Amino acid sequence: MFEMQYNEEMEAEVRKLEAKKRATEAGHPEWDNACAVCGTEIAGTDSDRCGSCVAS
């Protein structure tokens, strides 16, 4: 049980770091996340694409 919780926490931290990296690469280090395709700001760190880019 502890191992599962640890893995989930580490996966969340990796998503957060990757999202921050995308925002920095998009030229906005103050953002928490940016779309990997168009570079617009995304709320949260669960996705790497904005709604417009996911739909297309």
Side-chain angles (χ1 to χ4, degrees), residues 10-50:
M10 289 299 104
E11 288 172 5
E13 186 64 23
V14 167
R15 282 192 307 272
K16 179 181 171 185
L17 292 171
E18 289 173 342
K20 188 66 171 174
K21 182 179 178 213
R22 281 192 302 277
T24 301
E25 289 173 351
H28 296 280
E30 70 279 8
W31 292 355
D32 290 329
N33 196 1
C35 179
V37 177
C38 68
T40 59
E41 186 174 17
I42 301 174
T45 59
D46 294 336
S47 179
D48 65 342
R49 294 187 180 176
C50 66

